[in-house]
Amino acid sequence: MLTVHHLNNSRSQRVLWLLEELGVPYEIVRYQRQPDMRAPKELRAIHPLGKSPVITDNGNTIAESGAIIEYLIATYGNGRLVPPPNTPERLRFTYWLHYAEGSAMQPLLLKLLFTLMPKRAPALLRPLVRKVSNQALTALVNPQLKQHMDYWEGELGKTEWFAGNEFTAADIQMSFPLEAAQARGGLELGHPKAMAFLERIHARPAYSRALEKGGPYQVGR
């Protein structure tokens, strides 16, 4: 049976959601983050990088959210949650599937890093680290993040979903950046269409079922 190696509070929540949307049977092997928020070493026995998400299926071990989504759609989708080939919507689908991790997550990760650095710095260095972090956030990270959030807002003003007017797996992939932006990027300020997107996905029954099976999820909630 298809197995999802599921790390709590991680991108693997999207994989559970996709499987629930497709109605594909699967089992979950659970891993808990360590106190430093890193994945436990047991995940390295599944994939050398020890990251999540990872799935195993029919002798295949597949990592990376985009690759997993492409595999699941091709293997179990039967044409669902993906636009028809050779259409503008299919091109947009491919773009958003890769943009989510290739571009969108970079400023969000930097935001998290520079926010945490002063809290974790030694007491004597904390004022200096806070100053450097604040300068990086103000001059570099926050402007980049705003540019991305404005971009999402504009695109969701053209169509209801990221690839077009139909919900697709690209929206599942894009959920994580938008949830992270809501949690720590100020998405709620001036981005009503992006916030409405989050309301729509959170209302989907398959999203709720994935939360029930995956356990507490704090990234965007």
Side-chain angles (χ1 to χ4, degrees):
M1 178 179 284
L2 190 154
T3 300
V4 180
H5 297 272
H6 176 61
L7 179 67
N8 66 306
N9 280 339
S10 77
R11 292 159 168 82
S12 63
Q13 188 65 39
R14 289 182 297 194
V15 177
L16 302 183
W17 177 18
L18 174 59
L19 290 169
E20 291 295 328
E21 292 280 0
L22 294 174
V24 177
Y26 63 95
E27 63 180 8
I28 301 175
V29 177
R30 301 178 186 277
Y31 303 83
Q32 290 295 122
R33 291 186 182 276
Q34 301 176 98
D36 62 3
M37 296 304 293
R38 294 183 181 180
K41 62 181 180 181
E42 287 80 6
L43 262 175
R44 293 182 185 173
I46 308 303
H47 188 276
L49 294 180
K51 303 289 186 179
S52 181
V54 179
I55 66 169
T56 50
D57 186 43
N58 292 323
N60 300 308
T61 300
I62 306 163
E64 294 294 336
S65 300
I68 291 171
I69 288 176
E70 288 192 282
Y71 172 84
L72 293 176
I73 289 293
T75 306
Y76 298 105
N78 295 318
R80 293 172 293 168
L81 299 183
V82 59
N86 302 315
T87 62
E89 290 79 10
R90 184 61 168 264
L91 184 59
R92 286 172 60 85
F93 171 89
T94 302
Y95 170 76
W96 292 111
L97 197 64
H98 294 279
Y99 161 89
E101 293 293 337
S103 296
M105 285 306 299
Q106 293 180 23
L108 286 161
L109 290 171
L110 287 172
K111 176 88 171 181
L112 178 62
L113 174 65
F114 285 116
T115 301
L116 290 177
M117 281 175 57
K119 300 175 183 178
R120 298 186 176 183
L124 289 176
L125 295 177
R126 199 165 296 153
L128 176 60
V129 173
R130 182 178 294 110
K131 181 178 179 180
V132 172
S133 296
N134 288 341
Q135 288 177 341
L137 287 169
T138 301
L140 176 65
V141 178
N142 290 339
Q144 285 190 17
L145 183 53
K146 184 179 185 304
Q147 184 178 24
H148 282 276
M149 293 190 295
D150 291 346
Y151 176 44
W152 307 337
E153 185 73 9
E155 293 299 303
L156 289 171
K158 299 174 184 177
T159 55
E160 184 176 9
W161 301 101
F162 276 102
N165 289 317
E166 299 293 330
F167 174 80
T168 71
D171 299 297
I172 294 176
Q173 179 77 328
M174 282 297 296
S175 66
F176 195 89
L178 268 73
E179 287 181 325
Q182 181 189 22
R184 57 177 178 263
L187 184 68
E188 71 280 3
L189 303 175
H191 303 97
K193 292 181 173 60
M195 293 299 293
F197 169 87
L198 290 178
E199 290 181 7
R200 291 197 298 275
I201 65 172
H202 293 160
R204 295 183 71 86
Y207 185 96
S208 297
R209 292 195 302 271
L211 279 182
E212 291 173 3
K213 294 183 179 180
Y217 177 59
Q218 300 296 326
V219 173
R221 292 290 199 144

